[in-house]
Amino acid sequence: MSPETADWPTARLCNFIVELDFEQIPQRVVHFAKGLMIDWLGSALAGKGARQVEMIDGFARAMGPADGSSTVIPTRRCTSPYFAAMVNAAASHVVEQDDVHNGSVFHPAAVIFPAVLAVAEAEKKTGREMLTACIAGYEAGIRVGEFLGRSHYETFHTTGTVGTVAAAAAVGKLIGLDASGLNHALGSAGTQAAGLWEFLRDAADSKQLHTARAAANGLFAAYLARDGFRGAAQILEGKKGMAAGMSSDADPARLTDGLGTRWATEETSFKWHASCRHTHPAADALQSLMRREGLGPDDILDVVTHVHQGAIDVLGAVDIPQTVHQAKFSMGTVLGLIAVHDVADLDAFEHHALADARVSRFRSKVRMAFDTEVDSLYPKQWVGKISVTTIDGRKLAARVDEPKGDPGNTLARQELEAKAIRLAEFRGGAAADGMRRCIARIWNLDQAGSVVGIFAEL
Amino acid sequence: MSPETADWPTARLCNFIVELDFEQIPQRVVHFAKGLMIDWLGSALAGKGARQVEMIDGFARAMGPADGSSTVIPTRRCTSPYFAAMVNAAASHVVEQDDVHNGSVFHPAAVIFPAVLAVAEAEKKTGREMLTACIAGYEAGIRVGEFLGRSHYETFHTTGTVGTVAAAAAVGKLIGLDASGLNHALGSAGTQAAGLWEFLRDAADSKQLHTARAAANGLFAAYLARDGFRGAAQILEGKKGMAAGMSSDADPARLTDGLGTRWATEETSFKWHASCRHTHPAADALQSLMRREGLGPDDILDVVTHVHQGAIDVLGAVDIPQTVHQAKFSMGTVLGLIAVHDVADLDAFEHHALADARVSRFRSKVRMAFDTEVDSLYPKQWVGKISVTTIDGRKLAARVDEPKGDPGNTLARQELEAKAIRLAEFRGGAAADGMRRCIARIWNLDQAGSVVGIFAEL
C-alpha cells in the first residue's frame, strides 16, 4: 500500500505533491502565489487585537512556550510553530478579507500560510521551498474542497475541514515527506477535520477557532507523519472517510483533476469587499446599476438578489445583525453600505454597518431569491444578478459575471498592495513603511536564502 | 439566549451540569466513579512507551513547555494542562482496556479523566470537585452519544467526536463556568469534534490521535469559554450542528433523558478482555459454551457469532490482522485466544494474537452473521449469541446477556484493582506497591483537600 506504486486518488495527489518542483511551476503561478501571500499578510495583521484572536493567543501563552522559532505575526512575539500557526490562522480570517477559491468555497490563505510560515521559520527553509509548499497546499486543498462538493459546504465550514488537510499537505511538502509519509499525514489530518456552520446563527466566534485548529492540526499531522505515525490511506475517498461521513455528492475524480496542468492556485479570488464572499456578486451588480442609472439609496424601493442556494444557506441565518462580524454575513447590510457609502471595506463596516440608520433602512429593502441559472453556474462561477424597483416604479436589472477580485477581474498589483497596507494599518498591526518593505521582500521571495527574519521589517 | 432561562436541550443539559452538587450525587455513583478512575489509571499507565504515545509526547515536548503544573502520567514529567491532557488521553486508549458505555458506544474514561486531572492539578482542585466534574462529563457525554445515535457511529469514532464535548463539559464544570459559559464551551467543543473510522482498515494510529485531540480540544473549548469566547448555543441539535452534519437518526430527547434521576455514569462497563468491546459478548459466550461442553479448540469445526450491525461495521474491516492493535478488532483472533488460551488479556494479545498458529487456525473458523434480535437490543444491551458446530457434527449454541464487566455483571472490587495493577505493571508504568497506595488514595478521594500530588505514590 505504498502510494508510490498505488493508484487510489489520494495516493496520486500525494505523488503529485512530492514530485512538485519549483522549477516546473509556471512563473505566472509563482508570481500569483506571492500576491496571495501579500494579501494574506495584510489580513493576518488586521486581526491584531481582535477579541477572538486575543483569547486564542491567551490560551497559547498559557499552554505553550514563552519563546521559540516562529513569529506570532500581529504582535511579533515568538513561540513554537504549533502555537504560531494557531494564532496567525485565527488572526487571518477575522476581517473577512482573505482570499477564496470559488469552485471549492475554500479560503486557502488563512490556513496554509500560517502553517507553512511557522514551520519555514523553525526549519530555516528558503523562499522557494516555502512558495512551493504553499502552492502544494493550494493545489491539494482546492481539489479536496471540490471533491467534497456542495453538500459538504451546506453543514461544514470547508475552511475548517478541508483546511486541516491542506495545511498538512503544505507542511508535509515543506518538511520533505515522501509519498507514503504524506499519505499518512493526510490521514491524520482528515480524521481531525472539523467545523460546523451552526455558529453563524449566534454570531459566535467559531470561525477563528476553525482556522486556528485547521492550521495547527494540519501541522500536527505532518509532524506526526515525519516520526512514522500512521494515518488512513484513503481518509478522503474511503468507505469510512471524510466523504462517507460528511458529503453526499463527493466526486473522487476531482481530487486529481488536471494535476500539473491546471494550476488551481491562480484560480483564487482576492476579496475586495470586507464581507462574506457570497455577498460580493450582488454588491458589484448593485454598484454597477446605481452608477449606470445615477441612483441614490432613497431612489430605490426594493432590491431582489438572485442567488445560488449556498448564499441562502450561509446568509439566511442572519436577519438583523448584532455585531460587525455578523453584518458581514447580512446581504442587506452589505448592499446598504454600497448604496449609501459606495464602499463596503473594513472602515465602512466599523463605522456604518450597525450604527448608520440609512444603511439599516436600505437593509430592509433587500431580499434574496433562489435563481436556477445562478445556482447552476455556482460554485465554478459566482454570478451577481439583481432586480431593482425604484420609488418611481421603474423595474431595473443588472448582472456581473465576474465579481471584482475574481481571476478574470483580478486586482492590479497596486490595488493588491494598497489593500494589504490598508489592512496592516487597520488596527496598528504594522505601519505602511514597514509593510511596503516587507511586500518588496515577498515579491523577491524566490531569491531569498532563508525566510527567517521575513517579518523583521514590520 | 441565556441558558438559565432558555429551553433548548443543550441549555437544559448545561443547567444540569452547573447545578450538579457533590452532595446530591448518590454515594453508590461516587463510589462507582472512583472505580472508573482506578480502572482508567491502569489503562493510562499501560500506554507507557507505546509507539503512538511516544510520538504524540514527542510533539508535546517540541511544541509545549518543558515544565508545568500537570503530570504526563506514564513518565510523570510535567507540562501545561493542554499537553498533559493530550498525551494522557493518547495513552489511555492504547491497550483497549478502558471503560465503555454500551448505549452510547462511547469510551468516557479515556477522554474525561485526562482532561479533568490535568486541570485539577493546575488549579489545585479538591477530590470532590474533581469527582463531580468527571461525573458531569460522564452524564453529559453519554447522553450526547445516545443522542447522535447509531448512524453517527457507523462512520464516526464517537469517542473522538462526543469525547470532545464530554471533556469540555467536565472541564467547564471543574473551572466553574456558569450555564451560559458552559453552553459556549460545548459550542466550541462540538465544532471541533472529529474522528473517522477509516483508519481501522489500515491499522493506522488514529485512535490515539482521536482521544488525544478530544481531551485537549475539549479543555481548550472550556478555557476559551472562561475568557468569554462564544460558541454556538445549539451545536448539538441545531440546523447546522453535529446531528445535522454527522447523524441521520439523532433524538434530542436523549440529551436530557433522566437528568438527575438516571445516573448514566454507573451504566458504564469495565472491559475485561483486552479487545474491542464488540468482540466481548461472543467471547464470553464461547468461553461459557466450551466450559459447559468441555471442548478444546480442536473439537470445534466452526463458530458463527450472531451480531449487531455495529460489530460488522467495526470488525468487518479486519481480515487477517497485521498488528497487535488490529488483532483486537478481529473477532476470529479474540475467539481464538479464548478457545486456545482461555484468556484474551494484554499478555495473551502480546504473545499469542499474531504468532500462535493455533490461534490463527481458530480465527479462520469464525464468521460473523447479522442477527435481527441482537441488533434490535443493541446498543442498550450487548448480547453474545453463538452457534458452534463440532468436529463430530454436533450443533451447539450459547448466549450471554450481560458480558463480564457490564453493570449487571460488573467487576468485584478485587478484580478491578487487580486489573489496574496488572495494567500498571504491563509496560513498567508503575510498580504494584505504588499503584496500591495510589488506588487507596482514589478510594478516599472525596476526603482529599487537593488532588495535587495524587500521582506521587506511583
Side-chain angles (χ1 to χ4, degrees), chain B residues 360-411:
Chain B
S360 350
R361 206 156 50 235
F362 198 91
R363 189 189 67 227
S364 64
K365 299 178 180 179
V366 176
R367 67 181 179 86
M368 290 188 285
F370 176 81
D371 186 274
T372 314
E373 187 219 354
V374 171
D375 191 71
S376 71
L377 293 169
Y378 173 88
K380 206 172 162 51
Q381 211 185 329
W382 294 46
V383 172
K385 193 169 157 184
I386 60 163
S387 309
V388 168
T389 312
T390 59
I391 294 287
D392 57 11
R394 283 177 293 157
K395 304 276 184 189
L396 304 170
R399 179 188 178 107
V400 165
D401 278 322
E402 292 193 276
K404 187 166 179 71
D406 259 22
N409 185 14
T410 196
L411 305 191

Side-chain angles (χ1 to χ4, degrees), chain A residues 2-72:
Chain A
S2 142
E4 284 86 351
T5 56
D7 199 34
W8 58 93
T10 300
R12 275 177 278 152
L13 187 59
C14 290
N15 282 335
F16 165 77
I17 293 170
V18 167
E19 285 162 19
L20 184 65
D21 180 35
F22 183 81
E23 302 300 337
Q24 291 170 338
I25 305 170
Q27 267 304 305
R28 62 163 207 285
V29 177
V30 173
H31 182 79
F32 198 89
K34 293 174 187 170
L36 294 170
M37 184 173 167
I38 291 164
D39 188 66
W40 159 76
L41 182 58
S43 280
L45 288 162
K48 180 173 182 175
R51 202 173 49 81
Q52 306 93 332
V53 180
E54 292 284 296
M55 286 189 265
I56 290 173
D57 189 46
F59 186 79
R61 287 172 193 265
M63 300 295 163
D67 49 40
S69 55
S70 304
T71 310
V72 176

Side-chain angles (χ1 to χ4, degrees), chain B residues 188-401:
Chain B
S188 291
T191 207
Q192 296 182 75
L196 293 157
W197 278 118
E198 180 64 21
F199 75 92
L200 210 54
R201 293 200 293 157
D202 306 327
D205 301 320
S206 311
K207 221 176 187 196
Q208 281 67 57
L209 183 59
H210 293 171
T211 51
R213 297 327 308 245
N217 291 347
L219 181 157
F220 187 18
Y223 272 75
L224 284 177
R226 179 160 69 177
D227 286 347
F229 198 92
R230 295 182 301 232
Q234 299 188 47
I235 196 66
L236 302 171
E237 71 277 42
K239 277 184 210 166
K240 309 259 182 193
M242 282 182 78
M246 303 161 129
S247 169
S248 58
D249 64 340
D251 175 5
R254 306 303 300 268
L255 285 172
T256 54
D257 179 55
L259 281 175
T261 52
R262 168 196 165 205
W263 293 93
T265 304
E266 61 177 343
E267 296 166 0
T268 307
S269 299
F270 296 95
K271 282 177 81 170
W272 188 242
H273 309 299
S275 59
C276 173
R277 183 70 177 169
H278 291 295
T279 65
H280 291 209
D284 286 356
L286 180 69
Q287 193 166 44
S288 114
L289 183 143
M290 290 178 72
R291 286 177 182 175
R292 187 184 78 202
E293 307 285 338
L295 298 177
D298 297 331
D299 301 322
I300 291 174
L301 183 71
D302 63 46
V303 181
V304 180
T305 64
H306 305 281
V307 297
H308 53 283
Q309 187 59 44
I312 294 170
D313 290 345
V314 172
L315 309 175
V318 179
D319 186 18
I320 299 175
Q322 305 297 320
T323 64
V324 169
H325 183 259
Q326 216 179 19
K328 296 175 178 183
F329 291 83
S330 157
M331 180 69 95
T333 304
V334 176
L335 267 55
L337 289 171
I338 292 291
V340 176
H341 298 280
D342 199 36
V343 63
D345 66 4
L346 281 184
D347 280 331
F349 270 99
E350 285 298 307
H351 299 117
H352 307 304
L354 302 178
D356 187 333
R358 290 170 303 165
V359 172
S360 350
R361 206 156 50 235
F362 198 91
R363 189 189 67 227
S364 64
K365 299 178 180 179
V366 176
R367 67 181 179 86
M368 290 188 285
F370 176 81
D371 186 274
T372 314
E373 187 219 354
V374 171
D375 191 71
S376 71
L377 293 169
Y378 173 88
K380 206 172 162 51
Q381 211 185 329
W382 294 46
V383 172
K385 193 169 157 184
I386 60 163
S387 309
V388 168
T389 312
T390 59
I391 294 287
D392 57 11
R394 283 177 293 157
K395 304 276 184 189
L396 304 170
R399 179 188 178 107
V400 165
D401 278 322

